[in-house]
């Protein structure tokens, strides 16, 4: 599709022309952010921070200018008269949604929030490395207080947490998340059954691989081999290294991913690479007509996560994948030589409830999210205080996962989200996991066995299917509408069945 063929309305075209200036600022700001997380010399942090803040202030100035607002208002009126097509009305919807933050939050509030967030994140880092919640506590209280205020300013119908969820999953409500977790209740029982079934001898063998140390250059080779297999486009992409892997779309033709090398348990590095590949593919396959428009983004954080989890869990943690890829693993990591594809598969899919969310297996992962959802909702409702939080965390850990943190660093201090004021983000992870199973089911019904596609290296067919069904739409549709169009809505049952088939049969 060409831009001119989808955006015909004169008001929307003017908006998009104006929006290109904002895109230029976004590209510059994203490049600086990527550099800060990868190669920036340590002491440049303030210089870069200054430039990023300036670029953001300019973006805000453009977006809230009288001229831009008048254009948007005009398009909105035309939209209400039914004069806009899906793409044009998507532009109006997304801009109104995103501008709400600027309109409803006073300048002084944004400044205070940003300043507090920066210090709070620093204090969290210190608290975590010193394993001392007390260092972080007053700052968590501050950022929580400001977040509650933010929810009030943004406005909500039923629950203050709704206002926060909406920042990550447009239109999502607390009630919908509660109902999703209610449907996922069988997870705990399922986890118990899987654990009962797992063979102890097998676990012992897997532990050998978890502890085996690797040379970084060998794993770099393995990561490049997997990306080559998936036909990663190095003319529009990069792979680098960072402590916490991430994907950043700098521009439509520049999407960068990172991975981590810890020196042991090689699957973690491989999974990170494949996970971020899934995120990057989404950004790269958004329709060209949407480039440099507000619709050039994933439908939501949950939809984005569904794509990364699909490649990580459905493709990579698959016996067929290991059949295909084991030669490469054996060649690059000599210590794996005595492990056949089934044993490597067992290593990839061992279920072991642990303390750390980012290392959790597929079966127990969402229990980590449920725990965080319950706690952050209680914090926002003010039915739980920050002082009570560590104990509540440890109790829930024991109840949901049967493990107890021996210190705060592997408990309440493990995630960065709250320190940055990102309350309401966690449910997107579970939505992503559920959607990924729905993607698998639909893809299988239309393309046939995924194992067959993997064995025949038909990754291009999988990518094309994802492009046509999900990626190309960018943010044209609200996430709920897109899920409705694709799968008749979010279905926890599909995810539970996927786990049962994979781990209990
Ligand atoms: Mg992710």
């Amino acid at each position: 599709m060409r831009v001119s063929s989808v955006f015909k309305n004169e008001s929307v075209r003017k908006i998009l022309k104006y929006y290109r200036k904002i895109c230029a600022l976004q590209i510059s700001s994203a490049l600086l952010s990527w550099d800060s997380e990868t190669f920036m010399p340590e002491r440049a942090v303030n210089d870069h921070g200054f430039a990023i803040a300036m670029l953001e202030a300019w973006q805000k100035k453009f977006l809230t200018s009288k001229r831009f607002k008048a254009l948007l208002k005009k398009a909105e009126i035309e939209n209400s008269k039914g004069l806009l097509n899906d793409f044009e009305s998507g532009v109006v919807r997304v801009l109104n949604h995103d501008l709400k933050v600027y309109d409803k939050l006073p300048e002084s509030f944004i400044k205070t929030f940003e300043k507090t967030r920066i210090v709070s994140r620093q204090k969290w880092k210190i608290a975590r490395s010193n394993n001392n919640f007390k260092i972080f506590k007053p700052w968590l209280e501050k950022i929580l207080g400001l977040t509650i205020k933010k929810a009030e300013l943004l406005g909500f119908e039923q629950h203050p947490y709704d206002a926060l969820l909406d920042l990550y999953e447009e239109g999502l409500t607390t009630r919908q998340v509660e109902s999703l977790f209610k449907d996922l209740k069988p997870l705990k029982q399922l986890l118990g059954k899987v654990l009962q079934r797992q063979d102890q001898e097998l676990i012992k063998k897997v532990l050998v691989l978890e502890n085996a140390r690797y040379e970084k250059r060998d794993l770099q080779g393995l990561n490049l081999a997997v990306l080559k297999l998936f036909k990663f486009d190095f003319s529009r992409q990069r792979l680098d290294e960072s402590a916490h892997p991430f994907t950043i779309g700098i521009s439509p033709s520049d999407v960068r991913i990172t991975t981590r090398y810890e020196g042991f348990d090689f699957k973690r590095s491989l999974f990170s690479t494949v996970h971020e590949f899934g995120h990057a593919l989404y950004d790269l396959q958004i329709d060209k007509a949407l480039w440099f428009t507000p619709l050039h983004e994933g439908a939501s954080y949950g939809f984005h996560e569904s794509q990364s989890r699909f490649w990580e869990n459905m493709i990579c943690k698959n016996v067929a994948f290991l059949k295909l890829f084991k030669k490469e693993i054996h060649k690059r990591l000599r210590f794996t030589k005595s492990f056949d594809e089934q044993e490597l598969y067992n290593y990839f899919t061992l279920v072991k409830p642990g303390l750390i969310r980012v290392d959790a297996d597929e079966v127990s992962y969402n229990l980590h999210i449920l725990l965080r959802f319950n706690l952050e909702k209680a914090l926002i409702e003010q039915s739980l205080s920050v002082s009570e939080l560590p104990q509540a965390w440890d109790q829930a850990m024991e109840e949901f996962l049967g493990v107890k943190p021996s210190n705060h660093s592997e408990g309440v201090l493990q995630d960065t989200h709250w320190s940055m004021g990102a309350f309401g983000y966690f449910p997107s992870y579970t939505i992503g996991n559920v959607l990924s199973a729905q993607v698998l089911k639909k893809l299988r019904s239309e393309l046939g066995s995924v194992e067959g596609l993997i064995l025949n290296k038909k990754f291009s067919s999988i990518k094309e299917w994802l492009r046509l069904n999900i990626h190309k739409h960018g943010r044209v549709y609200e996430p709920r509408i897109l899920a409705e169009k694709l799968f008749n809505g979010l279905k926890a049952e599909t995810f539970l069945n996927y786990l049962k088939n994979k781990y209990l049969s």
Side-chain angles (χ1 to χ4, degrees), residues 275-276 279 304-305 308-309 425 429:
H275 180 100
E276 301 307 330
H279 278 305
H304 235 297
E305 193 68 7
S308 52
R309 295 296 264 178
Y425 186 112
Y429 291 118

Side-chain angles (χ1 to χ4, degrees), residues 4 32 42 80 92 444:
S4 53
L32 277 170
E42 209 181 305
S80 66
V92 174
R444 184 176 272 153

Side-chain angles (χ1 to χ4, degrees), residues 117-130:
R117 217 159 81 114
I118 292 167
V119 186
S120 162
R121 183 144 189 257
Q122 276 171 347
K123 297 287 175 188
W124 163 76
K125 274 189 185 164
I126 300 168
R128 193 170 78 153
S129 60
N130 287 292

Side-chain angles (χ1 to χ4, degrees), residues 119-266:
V119 186
S120 162
R121 183 144 189 257
Q122 276 171 347
K123 297 287 175 188
W124 163 76
K125 274 189 185 164
I126 300 168
R128 193 170 78 153
S129 60
N130 287 292
N131 183 22
N132 186 346
F133 184 71
K134 272 190 195 146
I135 298 171
F136 181 46
K137 186 177 164 269
W139 289 92
L140 181 57
E141 279 165 348
K142 275 192 193 127
I143 199 85
L144 174 66
L146 286 168
T147 304
I148 293 169
K149 177 89 186 146
K150 186 174 166 182
E152 277 166 20
L153 289 167
L154 289 172
F156 53 87
E157 275 174 27
Q158 283 164 338
H159 198 289
Y161 190 67
D162 293 354
L164 305 170
L165 287 171
D166 178 61
L167 298 171
Y168 309 100
E169 297 294 317
E170 205 182 330
L172 185 70
T173 65
T174 311
R175 249 194 219 161
Q176 288 166 349
V177 181
E178 283 167 346
S179 137
L180 175 65
F181 278 116
K182 202 173 144 220
D183 293 343
L184 287 172
K185 234 180 162 183
L187 268 182
K188 212 185 141 189
Q189 209 192 357
L190 184 72
L191 175 64
K193 271 192 198 161
V194 174
L195 291 176
Q196 242 175 19
R197 283 259 202 116
Q198 267 178 169
D199 180 21
Q200 291 308 308
E201 280 309 304
L202 178 155
I203 295 174
K204 260 189 219 157
K205 206 155 182 208
V206 162
L207 289 179
V208 174
L209 285 178
E210 280 192 3
N211 296 321
R213 299 203 64 86
Y214 60 78
E215 289 296 329
K216 186 169 148 185
R217 64 167 183 280
D218 294 337
L219 213 61
Q220 280 172 326
L222 193 70
N223 283 328
L224 288 178
V226 79
L227 292 179
K228 221 174 132 194
L229 183 66
F230 297 159
K231 298 202 169 63
F232 186 80
D233 180 359
F234 280 96
S235 69
R236 294 170 75 198
Q237 288 173 285
R238 281 184 64 93
L239 169 69
D240 294 287
E241 186 185 341
S242 68
H244 303 281
F246 66 92
T247 298
I248 186 164
I250 289 171
S251 74
S253 305
D254 183 356
V255 182
R256 306 183 183 193
I257 67 173
T258 66
T259 192
R260 54 177 168 162
Y261 297 98
E262 291 150 316
F264 65 98
D265 200 1
F266 76 90

Side-chain angles (χ1 to χ4, degrees), residues 273-302:
T273 307
V274 173
H275 180 100
E276 301 307 330
F277 164 81
H279 278 305
L281 184 67
Y282 195 166
D283 286 352
L284 284 170
Q285 297 208 113
I286 295 174
D287 203 290
K288 222 172 170 174
L290 307 179
W291 286 15
F292 305 107
T293 77
L295 303 179
H296 186 264
E297 255 188 277
S300 71
Y301 284 72

Side-chain angles (χ1 to χ4, degrees), residues 354-365:
L355 296 164
I356 308 298
R357 174 185 61 87
V358 294
D359 296 326
D361 59 77
E362 284 183 275
V363 183
S364 58
Y365 187 92

